[in-house]
Amino acid sequence: TPTTTMDSQLQQMCNMARNNGVIVFGIAFEAPANGQRAIFNCASSPAHYYDANGLQISTAFRAIAAQINALRLIR
């Protein structure tokens, strides 16, 4: 499958999720520039996007867990 087709399908799924009230987090783990862009565009906001390399992946997951826990406390 061509990359452009996969990127388009990803954006359709992300839009559908966001339009249905789903908060979308994205981690571009050691991704090339076009992958980073696709994941950034998928995330619900810039605050829901993480560009991680190496051990930074742990920090990204901890930050996402903290945001999810905060949502649970609010709702």
Side-chain angles (χ1 to χ4, degrees), residues 9-48:
Q9 290 172 342
L10 172 66
Q11 291 310 309
Q12 289 173 6
M13 288 184 276
C14 295
N15 290 338
M16 188 182 314
R18 288 192 312 264
N19 290 339
N20 283 290
V22 176
I23 297 172
V24 180
F25 291 90
I27 301 175
F29 181 66
E30 299 183 1
N34 61 334
Q36 292 173 14
R37 187 172 35 262
I39 299 299
F40 179 85
N41 290 335
C42 182
S44 290
S45 75
H48 294 95

Side-chain angles (χ1 to χ4, degrees), residues 7 19 27 32 37 40 50-51 59 68 74:
D7 287 347
N19 290 339
I27 301 175
R37 187 172 35 262
F40 179 85
Y50 298 86
D51 181 16
T59 303
I68 291 170
I74 293 170

Side-chain angles (χ1 to χ4, degrees), residues 45-72:
S45 75
H48 294 95
Y49 167 78
Y50 298 86
D51 181 16
N53 292 298
L55 297 177
Q56 293 173 334
I57 191 81
S58 296
T59 303
F61 278 114
R62 278 194 297 276
I64 291 169
Q67 288 185 53
I68 291 170
N69 284 331
L71 285 174
R72 269 194 264 168

